[in-house]
Amino acid sequence: MSNDKLSYDELRQRLEQAEAALAALRRGEVDLVIGTGEPLVVRFRSLVEENERLVQQWQATFDTVNSAIWVLDREQRILQTNRTAERFFGKPRQEMVGRHCWEIVHGTTEPIPECPMLRGKQSLTRESMELPIRDRWFQVTVDPILDGEGRYTGAVHILSDITERKQAEEEREKLQSQLLQAQRLESVGRLAGGVAHDFNNMLSVILGHAEIVHQELHPGDPLRNDVEQILKAVRSSAGLTRQLLAFGRKQTLQPEVLDLNEVVRNIEKMLRRLIGEDIALELALAGDLSCVKVDPGQIEQVIMNLAVNARDVMPTGGKLLIETSEVELDEAYAQNHAGVAPGKYVMLAMTDTGCGMDKEVLSQIFEPFFTTKEKGKGTGLGLSTAYGIVKQSGGNIWAYSEPGQGATFKIYLPVTGEQAEARAEEAAQEERAGGGEHILVVEDEEALRKLLKAMLSRLGYKVTLAANGGEALLLVEEKGLEPDLIMTDVVMPGISGKVLSERLRQKQPDLKALFMSGYTDNAIVHHGVLDPETPFIQKPFTLRDIAEKVLAVLRGRVPKRI
């Protein structure tokens, strides 16, 4: 027998060894050696154990991921699912495996048109979308599984809960929208205030000269009616400029410590007449309300404007509810409402049952001249005036509305630690004519200077004019002029009215001063509020306004602001 052939006994022995090794391999008891060259050793028992360990490790990792994960076949049936998917959809894995993914996600019998799975089968690349499911938001991502030849065989489908992120984005967008609206209103307010200031000077000249002409005309003069129409138009225009100044926060305020409940009760009868019998007025005023510091006339105007607005959106009747309460706005509220400072506030809310507003209208309601009323039915300045007054008073105003659901306007005014005082009754009207006192008028507008001279001379005063602070100083310090009263514009080129009055009082300590302006600035106003003891007259003014104000200042009283 040649060397390369085995004997029968050797062959039989080898076969028995192979059968024994195979039996042992099946039992996992021995190593399997194959071949006569370099041996290939397969440790069967170790491979089984390692495979089981890897499977368990993979499943644990699969279940730990905080996103719902499905492995899908080419028909979008679920092959594998993790524990997060069970939690998201409230179904055990045995109820999901074998079903189409859209049955679980959407409860439909076919995929939705925008399904990223459909796009993924075409593009063979990752596709994703944000998807609302019930009350949550999810990021859906689909990664196709391709075979060795690049053919689609299935996909990995991942759903990640992004609800908190979406809510944060919505809050940021809301806050950004509020900020942009506040900035827009601020810009428009500056423009409106500036225009109104200049326009007031022109109105003052027209009004003053028209009054003088009117007084000179004989009662039967045919021109008297024409002049009266001029006066009527000018006074109406002056009202519009006051509203623009209010929106631009350039009004002169005379704040007092008030109980807001008392303010509402004082004008309740007027409000009922204003809104008419078809609208029911209800009050829900909180007890023990803290005081606020506001101009009583201005806050009354805010309430009246909101009442008129409510009346106009309820032409067939309805209900207007006025509520007050004390609230504390925290840091979280302030962060989500542009311009709000945390602290204690008194809230005044006015709710109507009118037609309501959509988001587009709601975003513009405080802008001047914006109105949804028919032409000739309103100027579009009522709500913008309310906005300006509230903001200038250190508060905030917000509107809440939905179409067909009425509207609520909420005003928040900061609580003050000061105590309310009884408001003194106005003094009885006195004789307005002067007694020959000397008044120094300082005004940079020539036409207004001449008008004031005509008015004051007519009232019996001696008048000297100065175009600016420098001229006034020259007259007093160099030429020895000793006026009884200086009547000066607040803002002038070079020297402001307040600086001028302080300089003149160094030489004449008892010199009285009356400030005038279309609006006040930081010369005498701190955050839009004039010092309570500072006499002030608002342009445009009438002859009667000048008479009352000048006489009150000369007699040492702090007169009511005009």
Side-chain angles (χ1 to χ4, degrees):
M1 181 179 293
S2 61
N3 292 332
D4 57 346
K5 291 185 179 180
L6 297 174
S7 66
Y8 174 79
D9 292 337
E10 289 174 330
L11 184 60
R12 183 178 179 82
Q13 183 180 6
R14 294 277 183 94
L15 181 60
E16 288 176 352
Q17 289 175 347
E19 289 176 346
L22 182 60
L25 178 62
R26 286 172 177 166
R27 294 194 302 273
E29 294 177 350
V30 298
D31 294 340
L32 174 64
V33 180
I34 302 175
T36 58
E38 186 173 340
L40 172 64
V41 181
V42 181
R43 293 177 175 79
F44 187 74
R45 186 188 298 274
S46 299
L47 284 175
V48 171
E49 293 175 351
E50 179 67 11
N51 183 62
E52 291 178 351
R53 186 186 68 80
L54 290 174
V55 168
Q56 292 173 357
Q57 185 181 60
W58 181 87
Q59 187 65 50
T61 304
F62 193 46
D63 287 336
T64 302
V65 177
N66 197 31
S67 295
I69 304 177
W70 289 328
V71 178
L72 309 176
D73 65 14
R74 61 179 300 107
E75 303 300 328
Q76 280 100 279
R77 292 187 182 89
I78 300 170
L79 299 176
Q80 290 177 292
T81 179
N82 68 348
R83 192 167 294 151
T84 304
E86 296 182 71
R87 187 175 71 252
F88 276 4
F89 297 102
K91 297 178 184 297
R93 64 184 66 198
Q94 57 266 28
E95 288 188 20
M96 290 189 282
V97 171
R99 298 177 65 183
H100 292 105
C101 58
W102 57 76
E103 296 179 54
I104 306 299
V105 177
H106 306 292
T108 59
T109 57
E110 58 184 24
I112 61 175
E114 62 270 27
C115 178
M117 183 71 67
L118 300 179
R119 299 198 306 269
K121 291 183 73 172
Q122 297 297 321
S123 67
L124 300 182
T125 60
R126 168 176 285 194
E127 297 287 348
S128 65
M129 69 178 294
E130 292 181 356
L131 182 71
I133 303 175
R134 294 186 288 276
D135 59 343
R136 311 291 292 177
W137 273 92
F138 291 88
Q139 176 77 41
V140 181
T141 303
V142 174
D143 288 295
I145 300 173
L146 309 179
D147 63 15
E149 298 180 5
R151 291 174 300 195
Y152 180 87
T153 62
V156 177
H157 186 288
I158 303 174
L159 295 95
S160 302
D161 192 331
I162 58 170
T163 305
E164 292 185 3
R165 193 195 81 194
K166 292 291 289 186
Q167 290 174 343
E169 288 175 356
E170 290 173 0
E171 288 299 322
R172 281 197 299 272
E173 289 174 2
K174 177 183 174 183
L175 191 59
Q176 182 68 14
S177 176
Q178 291 177 1
L179 183 59
L180 290 174
Q181 183 183 25
Q183 290 173 339
R184 184 172 66 250
L185 292 174
E186 183 72 24
S187 298
V188 175
R190 284 197 297 269
L191 175 62
V195 170
H197 172 253
D198 294 338
F199 192 51
N200 261 340
N201 283 340
M202 293 183 282
L203 287 177
S204 296
V205 175
I206 298 170
L207 180 60
H209 285 294
E211 283 191 325
I212 292 173
V213 172
H214 186 262
Q215 290 186 7
E216 291 293 335
L217 292 175
H218 188 273
D221 195 305
L223 293 176
R224 191 176 179 89
N225 182 62
D226 294 327
V227 176
E228 287 173 351
Q229 292 303 311
I230 293 173
L231 289 170
K232 182 179 178 181
V234 173
R235 288 171 183 142
S236 177
S237 299
L240 290 176
T241 60
R242 280 195 294 272
Q243 288 179 301
L244 284 174
L245 288 169
F247 172 71
R249 290 173 253 174
K250 299 297 183 181
Q251 285 199 121
T252 306
L253 302 182
Q254 189 170 6
E256 298 180 18
V257 179
L258 299 173
D259 179 347
L260 208 53
N261 286 344
E262 183 182 348
V263 173
V264 174
R265 292 190 187 100
N266 287 342
I267 62 172
E268 180 182 355
K269 290 183 179 179
M270 187 185 305
L271 289 174
R272 293 187 186 278
R273 289 196 298 269
L274 182 67
I275 62 179
E277 296 180 355
D278 292 338
I279 298 175
L281 176 63
E282 295 185 10
L283 304 183
L285 308 180
D288 298 324
L289 204 63
S290 294
C291 291
V292 295
K293 192 169 185 179
V294 294
D295 186 314
Q298 297 295 332
I299 198 63
E300 286 178 1
Q301 182 181 350
V302 169
I303 298 171
M304 300 285 280
N305 286 1
L306 293 177
V308 168
N309 187 72
R311 178 199 65 191
D312 292 344
V313 299
M314 296 185 288
T316 59
K319 181 173 74 174
L320 175 61
L321 173 64
I322 300 179
E323 304 170 83
T324 60
S325 64
E326 192 166 328
V327 298
E328 184 161 358
L329 305 181
D330 58 17
E331 188 67 40
Y333 182 93
Q335 289 176 356
N336 290 304
H337 292 79
V340 175
K344 292 184 178 180
Y345 289 80
V346 170
M347 184 197 72
L348 171 71
M350 297 181 67
T351 303
D352 63 65
T353 57
C355 56
M357 296 171 280
D358 59 26
K359 290 183 178 180
E360 182 178 355
V361 172
L362 203 58
S363 68
Q364 302 175 76
I365 55 171
F366 294 123
E367 296 181 8
F369 304 115
F370 174 79
T371 179
T372 57
K373 300 174 185 176
E374 298 176 11
K375 187 175 181 180
K377 296 291 186 179
T379 63
L381 286 171
L383 292 179
S384 59
T385 300
Y387 176 89
I389 291 172
V390 172
K391 296 295 285 186
Q392 191 175 358
S393 301
N396 292 280
I397 180 169
W398 306 97
Y400 305 85
S401 185
E402 295 287 346
Q405 300 298 316
T408 294
F409 288 84
K410 289 185 177 181
I411 296 167
Y412 293 91
L413 296 170
V415 167
T416 180
E418 300 179 43
Q419 296 298 314
E421 297 180 2
R423 296 171 62 184
E425 295 294 325
E426 295 182 10
Q429 183 175 342
E430 301 180 25
E431 178 62 40
R432 298 190 183 94
E437 293 90 346
H438 193 168
I439 300 176
L440 173 60
V441 174
V442 188
E443 166 61 53
D444 56 323
E445 292 278 347
E446 182 180 4
L448 195 51
R449 281 200 307 274
K450 292 180 179 179
L451 171 63
L452 285 167
K453 183 170 185 178
M455 283 181 160
L456 293 169
S457 298
R458 190 178 186 83
L459 292 169
Y461 297 105
K462 182 180 177 181
V463 183
T464 300
L465 301 179
N468 51 57
E471 284 189 17
L473 290 173
L474 182 64
L475 289 170
V476 174
E477 296 179 350
E478 300 295 331
K479 296 189 176 182
L481 184 72
E482 294 185 357
D484 299 294
L485 170 71
I486 176 176
M487 188 172 178
T488 177
D489 200 355
V490 175
V491 181
M492 296 181 296
I495 302 176
S496 70
K498 185 169 187 181
V499 172
L500 174 62
S501 67
E502 291 172 349
R503 174 84 174 267
L504 293 178
R505 281 174 176 153
Q506 293 177 5
K507 181 176 178 60
Q508 192 177 338
D510 295 331
L511 177 64
K512 294 179 171 60
L514 173 59
F515 296 95
M516 57 183 175
S517 180
Y519 62 87
T520 59
D521 206 342
N522 288 334
I524 58 171
V525 178
H526 180 62
H527 295 304
V529 182
L530 188 67
D531 296 336
E533 70 277 5
T534 305
F536 178 87
I537 187 167
Q538 177 97 21
K539 298 176 183 177
F541 33 69
T542 66
L543 185 64
R544 177 176 177 176
D545 295 338
I546 288 289
E548 291 180 349
K549 183 70 67 159
V550 170
L551 191 63
V553 175
L554 287 170
R555 296 195 177 182
R557 301 196 309 268
V558 177
K560 181 181 74 173
R561 292 194 180 151
I562 298 174

